[in-house]
Amino acid sequence: MPERSERNGYNDEISTSVNEKKLPIYQIGDTFDLDVIGENTNGEYLEKTISVKVDSVQISDDLQLLDPDKIPQEWAKAIDADGKLATNTLNYVKSGDGIDSLDEIVKSEEVNQKLVYVTVTYTNHSNEEIDHMLYLGALLTLTKENGKVQLYISTEQAGDGYDYISWTGVAKTGEMVYYSVSENYGNGGNYISSIKPGESVQLNMAWIVNESDLKNLYLNVTGDGASYEFSEYILKKGLVDIRK
């Protein structure tokens, strides 16, 4: 599991809805500032402002874009006999009371799973080398209505005759599961070993999601890992619109 930044900035009151005017949104190809943490060449903690850009987003129905040595074990098991991502079985569940009735599946359906493969570039515009720079991407699903941006959690959706949705596949948003640059340092290893002044480092992150979620995807690269709330750093630094 990737390590979250020490400066999560989570509030006691979780915010899942926000006025869209208060949420900075960037597009693929936009460059914007980002606060990162790491160490200087003396091994001392430092925090710097650098820039970040989401270069591209690719959608695939297999894992061929990934480095085979870095593919999570559970993902490898999600490939069917044709080498494609297997479908995901969604179960629509009516909750029981745990005493007189149990949770009951009222209907099921098959949906496609897709790989979301994101290429990101970090550039150090400061005058100091940053060692062991922590990075972390997280996917959120959002909807917009009446000037509000609302977090959309697929498994928590209720409908006619059901209270929530569960599934058997590997699809999920949240913190990145695959990342191409790593260092044997800290928990998770999601660090750039060194990024010198004026230097850029390009890397890849990936998730597997349900195809139906592609139209609602936004990327959080603030480093706090927030994906189920509008954290302080999301509201300060913003999200990248990667909807397809």
Side-chain angles (χ1 to χ4, degrees):
M1 174 68 70
E3 181 181 281
R4 288 193 175 115
S5 166
E6 295 175 1
R7 41 177 193 77
N8 283 329
Y10 293 145
N11 296 319
D12 291 337
E13 183 177 349
I14 293 176
S15 173
T16 59
S17 179
V18 65
N19 187 310
E20 62 179 331
K21 294 181 180 180
K22 295 183 178 180
L23 178 63
I25 296 292
Y26 298 96
Q27 303 300 316
I28 296 169
D30 288 346
T31 299
F32 57 99
D33 288 342
L34 182 68
D35 296 331
V36 298
I37 60 174
E39 295 179 4
N40 63 22
T41 53
N42 294 322
E44 300 166 329
Y45 172 90
L46 82 161
E47 182 169 344
K48 289 290 185 181
T49 298
I50 68 170
S51 71
V52 63
K53 179 176 68 170
V54 175
D55 302 294
S56 64
V57 177
Q58 299 178 66
I59 307 299
S60 177
D61 58 4
D62 57 39
L63 302 181
Q64 293 187 28
L65 291 170
L66 307 182
D67 180 340
D69 294 333
K70 296 181 181 294
I71 295 175
Q73 187 174 6
E74 62 176 335
W75 284 13
K77 295 178 180 178
I79 298 299
D80 64 21
D82 297 324
K84 305 295 184 181
L85 285 166
T87 58
N88 193 2
T89 303
L90 272 59
N91 297 314
Y92 295 78
V93 183
K94 181 177 178 58
S95 299
D97 60 16
I99 300 174
D100 298 318
S101 61
L102 300 175
D103 289 4
E104 176 188 3
I105 298 173
V106 296
K107 65 176 181 177
S108 299
E109 67 171 330
E110 298 292 317
V111 299
N112 292 324
Q113 297 184 106
K114 296 291 183 179
L115 178 77
V116 178
Y117 184 80
V118 180
T119 301
V120 181
T121 296
Y122 297 91
T123 302
N124 182 5
H125 295 291
S126 78
N127 59 0
E128 191 169 6
E129 179 178 342
I130 307 170
D131 293 340
H132 312 306
M133 193 194 94
L134 177 70
Y135 73 94
L136 179 58
L139 278 188
L140 299 82
T141 48
L142 305 180
T143 58
K144 294 183 180 181
E145 186 176 0
N146 298 324
K148 289 281 188 179
V149 181
Q150 177 72 42
L151 279 162
Y152 178 88
I153 312 301
S154 300
T155 54
E156 297 179 0
Q157 302 308 305
D160 185 18
Y162 65 92
D163 299 305
Y164 67 92
I165 304 170
S166 66
W167 55 69
T168 59
V170 299
K172 66 177 182 179
T173 53
E175 294 181 3
M176 62 190 186
V177 179
Y178 172 97
Y179 41 100
S180 63
V181 171
S182 61
E183 180 188 16
N184 186 20
Y185 177 88
N187 295 328
N190 49 309
Y191 294 82
I192 297 171
S193 59
S194 175
I195 181 168
K196 295 178 174 59
E199 184 179 14
S200 295
V201 173
Q202 188 177 71
L203 52 82
N204 301 110
M205 311 171 181
W207 296 257
I208 293 175
V209 304
N210 291 324
E211 186 174 24
S212 56
D213 284 333
L214 293 177
K215 64 182 182 296
N216 295 318
L217 291 182
Y218 291 77
L219 178 62
N220 171 18
V221 290
T222 66
D224 70 359
S227 57
Y228 300 111
E229 65 170 314
F230 292 112
S231 67
E232 172 188 343
Y233 281 92
I234 287 178
L235 296 177
K236 179 181 179 182
K237 295 296 183 179
L239 299 172
V240 181
D241 182 351
I242 63 168
R243 293 175 294 171
K244 295 289 184 178

